[in-house]
Amino acid sequence: MVMFWVTILAVSILLYVLLDGFDLGVGMLFGLAPDEPRRHAMISAVAPVWDGNETWLVVSGVILWGAFPVVYSVLMSAFYLPVLLMLAGLILRGVAFEFRHKAVQMRWIWNASFVGGSLVATFMQGLMVGALVQGLPVSGDRYAGGEFGWFSPFAIACGIGLCVGYALLGACWLVRKCEDEVRDQAYRLIPYLAAALLVFLIVVFAYALAGDFAVMTRWLDRPSLFVFPVIGMLAAITLAASVHRHQDALPFPMVALIFVAAFGTLAISFWPYMIPFSITIEQAAAPHSSLAFMFWGEGLFVFPLMLLYTVISLTVFRGKVAASTDHY
């Protein structure tokens, strides 16, 4: 039962990163659009799916709260301020998404709010991942650091890196969904974003190596872990070829594969810990009776229905966004 919930949690987090990642990326790139028709096309590219994508964050939080309450309590204690800022960013972009269509003279405020909310939410997510990789001070099953124990140059670098990664994901989504100027601009951005992401990965690897992080020891002791970076490199090469040939359908799945490889690298590196090198999966799991109770609701109905909803929405709204669409 524990492994069932670990798997469900991993799938939920990965789906959130991939699905909300591209619409947060589109939100950040929204600020580069020079005129209203292009902004309208970018909004239309994510309008049918953005709120459903964010639901996976709720699903992940509920699973953590119910199945792994120790991890939930440690993460909420450690990341109280970053989580609040992330939620504020998500709320701001959601409000801006709806209100900008109604506003006329003050639309620029909601446009800026949409970009700012997307940027803040993404940066905070990357910052928390970076702090988790670097290691949180934990005593027993409690967070033992201060209010700003998560703050470090490495965590800030990871926040910036995730902004670049989501922007790359968003640019590839625009290539897949849009036509004409929006698609052409996205094609021009992809090489710069990919190069920036590569530089970020090199800097993070060098920083972790110089800082003698515990996770680096695992990578050096287990060369098999490098299979995921190799998968990521092959996906990056395919991405470059598809962008060069202007194959609209390929860039997005290739960047998604890079994210899957990065997620797999982190998951295998930390196994069997949920809080790296402090709390294992077995230590974090709720009693069997609680896990079994959740199975009959969340596991048997909610999670499959969420998967079905996601597949149907992406299937129904597949293809290019029509120029005449007047949605939002």
Side-chain angles (χ1 to χ4, degrees), residues 82-201:
V83 167
L84 279 182
L85 291 173
M86 179 192 73
L87 294 178
L90 291 175
I91 292 170
L92 180 62
R93 76 187 296 270
V95 172
F97 204 104
E98 302 292 342
F99 281 18
R100 66 170 299 280
H101 178 63
K102 302 293 183 183
V104 179
Q105 293 182 340
M106 306 295 284
R107 180 174 290 179
W108 64 273
I109 291 181
W110 298 113
N111 289 341
S113 299
F114 186 57
V115 177
S118 303
L119 186 64
V120 169
T122 304
F123 179 77
M124 288 300 155
Q125 289 176 17
L127 184 146
M128 287 186 278
V129 171
L132 202 58
V133 170
Q134 191 167 11
L136 293 174
V138 175
S139 176
D141 57 358
R142 294 173 182 269
Y143 173 64
E147 292 83 356
F148 295 94
W150 41 268
F151 188 83
S152 70
F154 182 77
I156 291 174
C158 289
I160 296 171
L162 193 63
C163 289
V164 174
Y166 278 3
L168 177 60
L169 207 54
C172 293
W173 182 256
L174 292 177
V175 163
R176 188 180 182 88
K177 300 295 291 183
C178 297
E179 299 274 17
D180 304 326
E181 295 92 348
V182 176
R183 184 192 63 172
D184 295 341
Q185 185 183 22
Y187 265 128
R188 290 193 293 272
L189 285 173
I190 288 174
Y192 295 104
L193 293 170
L197 188 62
L198 178 63
V199 170
F200 159 74
L201 292 174

Side-chain angles (χ1 to χ4, degrees), residues 186-249:
Y187 265 128
R188 290 193 293 272
L189 285 173
I190 288 174
Y192 295 104
L193 293 170
L197 188 62
L198 178 63
V199 170
F200 159 74
L201 292 174
I202 293 172
V203 169
V204 164
F205 187 80
Y207 191 101
L209 198 61
D212 196 24
F213 288 3
V215 69
M216 290 303 301
T217 306
R218 288 204 157 194
W219 289 353
L220 297 176
D221 290 344
R222 303 177 184 178
S224 59
L225 288 177
F226 284 91
V227 67
F228 289 103
V230 170
I231 292 173
M233 287 176 60
L234 294 176
I237 293 171
T238 309
L239 168 67
S242 64
V243 170
H244 179 70
R245 296 170 185 163
H246 281 214
Q247 295 171 299
D248 295 357

Side-chain angles (χ1 to χ4, degrees), residues 308-326:
L308 184 63
Y309 167 81
T310 301
V311 171
I312 290 176
S313 62
L314 291 176
T315 303
V316 169
F317 296 105
R318 67 186 182 278
K320 297 284 187 180
V321 175
S324 60
T325 299
D326 189 23

Side-chain angles (χ1 to χ4, degrees), residues 9-63:
L9 178 62
V11 172
S12 300
I13 293 174
L14 182 58
L15 284 175
Y16 172 75
V17 169
L18 294 179
L19 296 176
D20 206 30
F22 75 71
D23 67 52
L24 284 169
V26 170
M28 288 184 283
L29 297 176
F30 187 79
L32 302 178
D35 51 48
E36 191 57 30
R38 297 190 200 190
R39 285 192 282 271
H40 179 77
M42 294 172 75
I43 286 286
S44 298
V46 297
V49 295
W50 75 274
D51 43 1
N53 293 343
E54 291 187 354
T55 310
W56 286 104
L57 181 63
V58 179
V59 173
S60 303
V62 169
I63 294 173

